[in-house]
Amino acid sequence: DTLAHPNAYARASETAQHVLSKLPDTLQKPKVAIVCGSGLGGLADTIEAGPKVELPYETIPNFPQSTVQGHAGKFIFGVIGEQKMPVALLVGRAHFYEGHTMDLVTFATRVCKVLGVETIIVTNAAGGLNENYRVGDIVCLNDHLNLAGFVGIHPLRGPNIEEFGVRFPPMSDAYDLDLRRRVHKAWVKLGLDQQKRRIHEGVYAFLAGPSYETRAECRMLRMLGADVVGMSTVPEIVVARHAGIRVLAFSLVTNMAVLEPGARGNDSIIQAMNKSELDQYLGKGKANHEEVLEAGREAAKDMQALVKQILSDLHED
Ligand code: ADE
């Protein structure tokens, strides 16, 4: 079922207690949590030498067990930056397409809330729909289309968990403006190579997956105003906003979605192509999991630097 667990608060508290029992005093109060998307686990390297605790998901009570290749699951607690800011990193996440309920997909977010996290930075690998984007670009999300939510696949469906938030939480300003401003400031400060990678602000469309979009679906999503498309992030953000956590989210563009129509039996252009022209035409931009992981590996370092710079900026306040 897709219903929220009626005891979600008690279960998240139980898990938080377990986690706290494993942490030294210096790591007990992370104010920031960072969710690392596919291939973005390298963010864990930004953790400084010093106190550090790694808890594999399979050792944490009530936690979903992740199943996808390249999505190793562990909760890491450590400190980041010269200021030694305590942070919680979620390396690997549960996706709805794996068969988890929305309740489990968003469970870690709720554990973060109980731990006292005030700001969550969510990252993901996504397909680019905006024609101005290129593979390797970073998109700071400024809004989303919760398409799965439209059809009832929604993490807040079911009795409202009052301990976390209200029945009808607003989502109109889910992506914190102050944090987004800091992103642009941090980007300029880092002076990253603009030829290699650019930063944009855009709208993320959430699909349940696991199949990638058809060409017609890509065109539809673009018409609806989406700049990137992916299979994660939005459930966590909805639950975070419900619980009053500030949200910052990034997509790494790992492939460009195909907007051109594919072969249609009655299309004279397609009919005129020879086999190799047709193979090239149809192969262009087809999303595959390997490509997604590869782009992630290359861009992870810049994304890491960006997140670290933002954290340092946050700490200065
Ligand atoms: N994740 C990475 N690329 C994607 C795409 N094109 N569609 C959905 N999820 C994705």
Side-chain angles (χ1 to χ4, degrees), residues 1 90 199 234 245 256 260 267:
D1 200 321
L90 287 146
I199 193 153
V234 167
I245 300 175
M256 286 303 292
E260 299 98 336
D267 189 320

XYZ file of all heavy atoms in Angstrom, residues 1 90 199 234 245 256 260 267:
64
model
N 0.849 -1.209 0.000
C 0.000 0.000 0.000
C 0.876 1.249 0.000
O 2.032 1.211 0.375
C -0.908 -0.019 1.244
C -2.107 0.902 1.074
O -1.942 1.990 0.502
O -3.198 0.519 1.492
N 23.440 10.835 3.710
C 22.739 9.613 3.329
C 23.296 9.199 1.979
O 23.027 9.845 0.963
C 21.233 9.869 3.258
C 20.604 10.011 4.645
C 19.465 11.003 4.644
C 20.144 8.651 5.155
N 25.797 26.032 -14.292
C 24.738 25.836 -13.298
C 23.480 26.546 -13.787
O 23.560 27.599 -14.435
C 25.175 26.321 -11.901
C 24.184 25.818 -10.852
C 25.332 27.846 -11.839
C 24.763 25.646 -9.494
N 11.602 14.199 -5.058
C 10.357 14.903 -4.720
C 9.681 14.324 -3.466
O 9.268 15.095 -2.585
C 9.412 14.970 -5.945
C 8.003 15.395 -5.546
C 9.999 15.928 -6.982
N 11.502 21.362 7.368
C 12.945 21.357 7.083
C 13.186 22.233 5.842
O 12.436 22.147 4.862
C 13.459 19.919 6.819
C 13.206 19.028 8.044
C 14.934 19.915 6.440
C 13.580 17.561 7.827
N 20.761 13.628 -21.851
C 19.740 14.528 -22.384
C 18.589 13.682 -22.918
O 18.792 12.731 -23.676
C 20.323 15.400 -23.505
C 21.242 16.499 -22.994
S 20.451 17.627 -21.790
C 19.250 18.471 -22.836
N 13.051 14.585 -30.020
C 12.604 14.325 -31.400
C 11.727 13.081 -31.420
O 11.984 12.136 -30.685
C 13.782 14.037 -32.351
C 14.770 15.138 -32.493
C 15.986 14.932 -31.602
O 15.850 14.219 -30.576
O 17.037 15.487 -31.923
N 6.270 8.074 -41.400
C 7.107 9.264 -41.437
C 8.053 9.185 -42.626
O 8.939 8.339 -42.673
C 7.870 9.351 -40.113
C 8.612 10.664 -39.956
O 9.175 11.137 -40.964
O 8.614 11.196 -38.839
